Amino acid sequence: MHEQYQFREIEAAAQSHWEHQQSFVVREQAGKDTFYCLSMFPYPSGKLHMGHVRNYTIGDVIARYQRMQGKNVLQPMGWDAFGMPAENAAMKNQVAPAKWTYENIAYMKAQLKSLGLGIDWTREVTTCKPDYYRWEQWLFTKLFEKGVIYRKNGTVNWDPVDQTVLANEQVIDGRGWRSGALIEKREIPMYYFRITAYAEELLSSLDELTGWPEQVKTMQRNWIGKSFGADIVFDYDQASIGIEGQLRVYSTRPDTLMGATYVAVAAEHPLAQRAAEHNAELAAFIAECKSGSVAEADMATMEKKGVPTGQFVIHPLTGDKLPVFVANYVLWGYGEGAVMAVPAHDERDFAFANKYSLPITQVYAAEGKDFSASEWQEWYADKSGLTTLNSGKYNGLDFTGAFDAIVADLEASNHGARKTQFRLRDWGISRQRYWGCPIPIIHCDSCGDVPVPEDQLPVVLPEDVVPDGSGSPLAKMPEFYSCTCPKCGQPAKRETDTMDTFVESSWYYARYASPQYTQGMIDPAAANHWLPVDQYIGGIEHAILHLLYARFFHKLMRDEGLVSSNEPFKNLLTQGMVVAETYYRTLENGGKDWFNPADVEVERDAKAKVIGAKLKSDGLPVEIGGTEKMSKSKNNGVDPQAMIDQYGADTCRLFMMFAAPPEMSLEWSDAGVEGASRFLRRVWRLAHSHASAGLPAALDKASLNDEQKAVRRAIHLAIKQASTDIGQYHKFNTAIAQVMTLMNVLEKASTATEQDRALIQEGLETVTLLLAPITPHIGHALWSALGHTDELLDVSWPAVDESALVQDSLTLVIQVNGKLRGEIQVPATASREEVEAAARQNENVLRFIDGLTIRKVIVVPGKLVNIVAG
RNA sequence: GCCCGGAUGGCGGAAUAGGUAGACGCAAGGGACUUAAAAUCCCUCGGUGGUAACACCGUGCCGGUUCGAUUCCGGCUCCGGGCACCA
């Protein structure tokens, strides 16, 4: 054992040992408990960022801990390799996305290996390779035949200059990011997954996911958004509209129908289109509604505007004529594209009615309260304890009474029906992009949309294309799209859209069970052996979309007979972001020049409070911009590679796990890394001085003196705390703090006798084992230095010796009226009465209760005594 | 705008059944060792007052429940994540 902690040699030796032993290659083993530990696979963007390092360290710690619990652990890794960044890089550097992607994968794989992750690399999956996406195409054709996938129009962002569809991310303040052109909404045909058919199950089976954070389940519930309401039908007023017809709306508040004073439709609604034919102002407004992005956040924050169509519809209960407006806040493609408005009982309707001086009819009141504009919020916010008014025959009812009576009448007159609706919309997966999985459909003039037959799969994406940012490259390649119809043999055209990359990431976890399987999408026997995933780890930003799509896909695969479970991920851990300080200077044009924290020197006052910062290169001041998520745009990314090279993987892993609990955001700190490194050097130093004096004989637990008992108690307290922290709560930071506390004790412990040294041996073994999942390389070296020949990876997690925790006396806190006034030592066996009596005699207590009467004494066993006096 | 979170010393964080606020670490200050530096070790370290013992205040803000609230309840403020074509 070398005197110095030489992490490079130690880490290289451990990694080559694991590689040589194939330590992390797993097979199905009958009779052994499995543990499938999965981290969200990375997009191969170039190099690892801190978020990856954090994610995969958390996963590796859990995987190694479970292995020490005796489980057969599967920890795979792969690449979410299709996506937009590859196309952007291609345009910038004139490199094909495939080449760029494969080079990134090679580099990042080496980086992952240098972190010492216990990954079974024989199961590596790369989503842009035909052997992966062919099965995605296969499932697509099956689902298309079943009707789970269908085609309809959808709205996209259209850049009229580049003549291309843009992602929401590529629309900045309503303009295309490259062209600067004003973006328009455009309707194009797309393929959709009928996820709404699974809405009910996706909602109800959330209850089975007891290992998921409540927060994530709540977000998914709200996203699915089950609501109870009614369809309501308004007959057209023929005089103003000119034709017979009916306007259908959905409302969760049919009970307020008597308060409806207008209806609003989306710009794309047929009524709006019809009215605009002879109304220039309306036509202009409809055109205005078509500008801007399709992102819901943009739609929801823009000013609510509307224009009357001059048309009216007939209120189904009163026969009154209600004006029809076109409003920019009504979304086409969501519900019926039309809403009824009840200004008195809906915030948005109220604002709109005030803006356009529309009538407001209050139909609910609470006892003793009058309606006034200043109190309007009370009227729509609450539907309990209110009674209807201004509602004719429906007066004097509560919410349920009004709801039932009105819906019954609507149903009787064929003007509506009770309906349960979901907010969830079908999943549109068509992308007018090159670097994605081709949609396996052939368009034939006589046969329509024909799925590509199984024996012609995969539809291979050509890999040598460099996109130019205008339109879809595949649509310009006859050699790709020219084909013959599989049904009739006539010339036909292949679909040139590719799939949303969320499709690949919706089933990769299942492919890991049988990654090289050529007989099907997944081998059911292997999949059912490993699935569901025991622990899934990834960023909180995936709480809704990715996790909902993957749950949906699991149910699709179940219904195809590929898997037998209902849900893919049993336990979920959502990690927080990695953030760092930002620094900038404002440029003359008002823009900002961002500086990397590595290039900036921070200035502090005498109390170490940060008072300023300057650039190292020119010594001039820079502005401090606050901590933000590490990103290219703010230039505040810290390269994990530099840290691994300078301090080693173990230090890097230790710091990541110690700095914050996994769910919380983690602030980058160079000094903190230094501290983690210092701690590992201390462990090494103690182990070295211990081992170089010769390993001691076994500990005689029966003959320990008080000092030795205290040391042994510290050892087993650390085991106890670290076991619950890691095993139960995933609080790696406090587990590490416990081990640090133990090290503080061990460093000060006596080494005078063989018995003392046997205790140090037990302590060092404990430190090694508790840290083994977190810092496995140094653990590997220490374990053999402590005289062991077995494999640390498979050593059992240490067990608590409860007898070591027993204490003879306890320290109790004494309070007077809830304020800390002193401490007393009592025998562990002291009765409640004895404890109370001791507390009453405490000098400080006597001082504080002097002249007061003791009203009550509260004794919390083992903790405190509170004397209530007044 | 809507949905979901978060806020504790100079900093990261701890307090996992309502029971000692600040564990553990970082930074800082003082000291030891050293020719010197690095490394290492020791001491101090929420604020105010006090020589000290100690006292009072203190967990984003306002209010409530309780013998006792960082923890529970009501109302806010600010920051972050998501919003269906970023992954």
Side-chain angles (χ1 to χ4, degrees):
Chain A
M1 186 181 190
H2 198 278
E3 192 179 346
Q4 304 296 318
Y5 167 47
Q6 296 179 314
F7 66 84
R8 283 190 189 87
E9 287 72 12
I10 289 167
E11 294 186 356
Q15 285 174 16
S16 83
H17 172 81
W18 297 327
E19 180 92 41
H20 189 252
Q21 299 288 313
Q22 302 224 311
S23 300
F24 305 110
V25 177
V26 280
R27 275 173 212 94
E28 289 92 75
Q29 285 183 55
K32 195 169 180 188
D33 276 353
T34 62
F35 193 91
Y36 183 177
C37 185
L38 180 67
S39 292
M40 291 182 186
F41 63 168
Y43 177 79
S45 54
K47 49 188 182 180
L48 289 187
H49 56 69
M50 285 293 176
H52 291 132
V53 175
R54 190 179 194 195
N55 196 158
Y56 303 138
T57 303
I58 294 168
D60 199 43
V61 171
I62 295 172
R64 287 172 183 267
Y65 170 80
Q66 290 297 335
R67 183 162 177 168
M68 292 175 82
Q69 299 290 321
K71 306 271 177 66
N72 188 26
V73 175
L74 167 60
Q75 189 180 211
M77 186 55 72
W79 308 96
D80 189 14
F82 276 135
M84 238 176 22
E87 295 193 13
N88 296 336
M91 287 186 270
K92 198 174 162 192
N93 308 319
Q94 292 301 304
V95 197
K99 185 171 188 289
W100 182 84
T101 302
Y102 291 130
E103 284 171 4
N104 289 347
I105 287 173
Y107 184 76
M108 290 170 75
K109 187 172 174 180
Q111 285 192 300
L112 287 176
K113 287 192 167 181
S114 76
L115 276 172
L117 304 173
I119 287 167
D120 181 353
W121 283 105
T122 67
R123 294 173 184 263
E124 184 177 0
V125 151
T126 306
T127 62
C128 65
K129 290 189 174 171
D131 67 347
Y132 182 81
Y133 66 69
R134 71 166 294 178
W135 297 112
E136 191 167 305
Q137 294 175 335
W138 170 83
L139 185 68
F140 184 103
T141 60
K142 295 288 154 219
L143 295 173
F144 184 78
E145 282 158 3
K146 273 170 102 175
V148 175
I149 292 174
Y150 65 97
R151 194 152 101 130
K152 69 166 181 183
N153 279 354
T155 315
V156 295
N157 302 307
W158 178 254
D159 184 325
V161 170
D162 279 347
Q163 292 282 302
T164 196
V165 176
L166 296 184
N168 285 334
E169 189 193 52
Q170 297 172 314
V171 181
I172 297 154
D173 296 329
R175 291 175 181 274
W177 67 335
R178 285 160 61 88
S179 67
L182 283 170
I183 295 307
E184 299 162 7
K185 295 184 184 74
R186 180 175 273 210
E187 297 252 317
I188 57 167
M190 306 207 292
Y191 288 94
Y192 284 83
F193 275 84
R194 213 179 288 280
I195 191 173
T196 50
Y198 285 76
E200 191 71 61
E201 198 198 339
L202 286 167
L203 181 67
S204 63
S205 56
L206 282 172
D207 296 336
E208 297 164 25
L209 296 175
T210 51
W212 279 40
E214 265 325 304
Q215 167 198 3
V216 174
K217 288 191 278 184
T218 305
M219 282 192 261
Q220 292 216 348
R221 272 187 203 105
N222 292 339
W223 185 262
I224 295 166
K226 186 177 187 177
S227 66
F228 302 93
D231 270 341
I232 302 172
V233 174
F234 294 79
D235 291 332
Y236 285 1
D237 165 56
Q238 288 197 42
S240 60
I241 298 181
I243 52 164
E244 236 180 88
Q246 292 182 321
L247 177 71
R248 183 178 289 267
V249 306
Y250 172 80
S251 173
T252 57
R253 296 297 304 273
D255 56 303
T256 62
L257 179 55
M258 294 302 283
T261 56
Y262 68 98
V263 297
V265 301
E268 297 86 347
H269 196 280
L271 272 187
Q273 299 292 326
R274 183 179 175 85
E277 283 169 19
H278 307 291
N279 182 335
E281 190 205 350
L282 188 60
F285 179 66
I286 289 173
E288 185 191 324
C289 288
K290 285 192 176 173
S291 71
S293 93
V294 298
E296 198 192 301
D298 293 340
M299 304 286 284
T301 48
M302 70 189 174
E303 192 193 352
K304 309 287 178 289
K305 285 198 230 171
V307 170
T309 59
Q311 300 166 327
F312 292 86
V313 292
I314 308 299
H315 192 292
L317 297 178
T318 65
D320 290 346
K321 285 186 182 183
L322 302 185
V324 178
F325 274 73
V326 177
N328 62 0
Y329 65 84
V330 182
L331 304 182
W332 184 239
Y334 179 42
E336 306 290 340
V339 296
M340 76 170 194
V342 184
H345 303 284
D346 179 272
E347 181 175 4
R348 195 175 54 187
D349 295 347
F350 181 82
F352 193 88
N354 273 345
K355 184 168 178 174
Y356 296 104
S357 304
L358 295 162
I360 299 171
T361 307
Q362 179 194 0
V363 292
Y364 272 114
E367 186 94 16
K369 283 191 185 173
D370 289 323
F371 176 77
S372 75
S374 63
E375 296 175 341
W376 60 273
Q377 294 194 43
E378 290 178 38
W379 301 103
Y380 70 77
D382 196 3
K383 61 190 179 197
S384 63
L386 299 176
T387 312
T388 47
L389 76 163
N390 298 331
S391 299
K393 66 183 269 205
Y394 308 104
N395 275 345
L397 301 172
D398 63 5
F399 169 77
T400 313
F403 190 110
D404 291 346
I406 287 173
V407 172
D409 284 355
L410 289 174
E411 283 175 341
S413 71
N414 264 330
H415 279 82
R418 195 176 285 270
K419 188 178 172 189
T420 301
Q421 184 162 291
F422 293 93
R423 199 187 80 98
L424 183 68
R425 312 202 290 261
D426 277 339
W427 175 17
I429 54 121
S430 293
R431 298 291 179 268
Q432 299 68 46
R433 265 183 264 288
Y434 157 67
W435 191 235
C437 170
I439 291 176
I441 290 283
I442 289 166
H443 301 287
C444 170
D445 286 341
S446 27
C447 307
D449 289 7
V450 182
V452 176
E454 194 168 347
D455 60 7
Q456 292 175 30
L457 291 176
V459 177
V460 176
L461 183 74
E463 290 202 342
D464 52 357
V465 176
V466 180
D468 62 7
S470 70
S472 163
L474 295 178
K476 299 175 206 163
M477 294 172 65
E479 64 273 34
F480 176 79
Y481 64 71
S482 291
C483 61
T484 52
C485 173
K487 269 193 186 162
C488 68
Q490 294 300 303
K493 197 181 170 208
R494 193 180 292 288
E495 171 68 47
T496 58
D497 281 357
T498 54
M499 289 192 222
D500 181 359
T501 57
F502 272 126
V503 181
E504 285 89 62
S505 56
S506 291
W507 66 282
Y508 74 110
Y509 64 88
R511 182 71 182 172
Y512 281 138
S514 52
Q516 285 105 30
Y517 193 57
T518 54
Q519 305 305 302
M521 189 172 188
I522 48 183
D523 174 358
N528 289 328
H529 180 83
W530 294 107
L531 291 172
V533 171
D534 291 282
Q535 182 69 60
Y536 196 31
I537 306 127
I540 183 69
E541 66 272 21
H542 297 291
I544 295 174
L545 292 180
H546 163 61
L547 288 168
L548 188 65
Y549 292 147
R551 294 182 58 221
F552 169 54
F553 241 75
H554 197 79
K555 293 173 196 298
L556 293 178
M557 292 191 292
R558 176 199 62 195
D559 293 348
E560 286 296 321
L562 296 167
V563 294
S564 57
S565 41
N566 288 322
E567 286 285 338
F569 314 120
K570 210 166 146 189
N571 296 291
L572 175 69
L573 193 159
T574 49
Q575 62 156 6
M577 297 172 310
V578 181
V579 298
E581 198 72 69
T582 57
Y583 303 97
Y584 67 91
R585 280 180 191 156
T586 306
L587 300 169
E588 277 180 29
N589 65 10
K592 283 173 180 171
D593 199 4
W594 299 92
F595 299 100
N596 194 274
D599 303 327
V600 169
E601 199 144 46
V602 170
E603 298 169 298
R604 295 165 188 277
D605 65 10
K607 285 191 169 179
K609 197 169 187 171
V610 173
I611 49 169
K614 54 189 182 184
L615 196 62
K616 283 179 186 169
S617 59
D618 61 14
L620 297 171
V622 293
E623 301 291 319
I624 299 174
T627 49
E628 297 199 41
K629 180 176 174 170
M630 282 188 181
S631 70
K632 268 189 188 146
S633 61
K634 297 285 166 68
N635 191 14
N636 64 338
V638 178
D639 186 0
Q641 198 58 50
M643 172 167 126
I644 297 167
D645 294 344
Q646 192 182 346
Y647 294 99
D650 280 341
T651 291
C652 175
R653 294 167 59 119
L654 181 67
F655 168 70
M656 280 275 171
M657 294 300 95
F658 180 60
E663 300 84 2
M664 236 186 257
S665 64
L666 183 153
E667 188 172 341
W668 182 250
S669 150
D670 286 325
V673 180
E674 188 64 50
S677 171
R678 187 178 306 148
F679 175 72
L680 291 182
R681 290 199 300 269
R682 277 172 59 198
V683 174
W684 188 265
R685 200 184 319 127
L686 184 67
H688 176 261
S689 67
H690 172 77
S692 57
L695 296 175
L699 182 74
D700 176 11
K701 291 179 214 169
S703 63
L704 296 171
N705 61 33
D706 284 354
E707 215 172 295
Q708 291 165 336
K709 276 185 188 165
V711 173
R712 191 144 194 276
R713 182 160 187 273
I715 293 170
H716 287 270
L717 264 182
I719 296 173
K720 186 175 183 157
Q721 179 95 30
S723 299
T724 43
D725 283 354
I726 295 181
Q728 218 175 320
Y729 300 111
H730 296 141
K731 289 251 190 178
F732 312 109
N733 56 328
T734 50
I736 293 165
Q738 277 302 312
V739 180
M740 288 175 167
T741 306
L742 172 58
M743 271 301 295
N744 290 342
V745 172
L746 293 178
E747 282 176 330
K748 289 185 179 69
S750 163
T751 54
T753 67
E754 188 73 357
Q755 182 81 328
D756 284 331
R757 301 192 56 254
L759 257 182
I760 302 280
Q761 174 81 15
E762 186 184 8
L764 281 169
E765 286 176 354
T766 300
V767 168
T768 304
L769 292 171
L770 296 182
L771 289 179
I774 299 164
T775 55
H777 307 89
I778 191 174
H780 180 79
L782 289 173
W783 195 241
S784 68
L786 290 169
H788 298 279
T789 51
D790 51 349
E791 184 75 57
L792 178 64
L793 292 170
D794 294 309
V795 174
S796 289
W797 186 255
V800 179
D801 180 354
E802 292 290 341
S803 70
L805 301 178
V806 175
Q807 280 180 296
D808 297 336
S809 78
L810 300 171
T811 305
L812 299 189
V813 160
I814 312 300
Q815 298 179 332
V816 176
N817 291 332
K819 289 199 174 186
L820 179 65
R821 296 303 178 195
E823 282 181 357
I824 51 168
Q825 292 282 328
V826 295
T829 53
S831 69
R832 194 184 178 88
E833 290 70 28
E834 287 163 338
V835 167
E836 187 179 327
R840 281 170 183 264
Q841 282 156 27
N842 182 276
E843 220 173 283
N844 214 29
V845 168
L846 290 173
R847 213 151 57 79
F848 275 92
I849 58 175
D850 185 37
L852 302 175
T853 318
I854 295 178
R855 302 234 160 94
K856 200 164 47 157
V857 178
I858 290 151
V859 180
V860 182
K863 286 211 167 125
L864 60 72
V865 181
N866 186 16
I867 295 169
V868 185

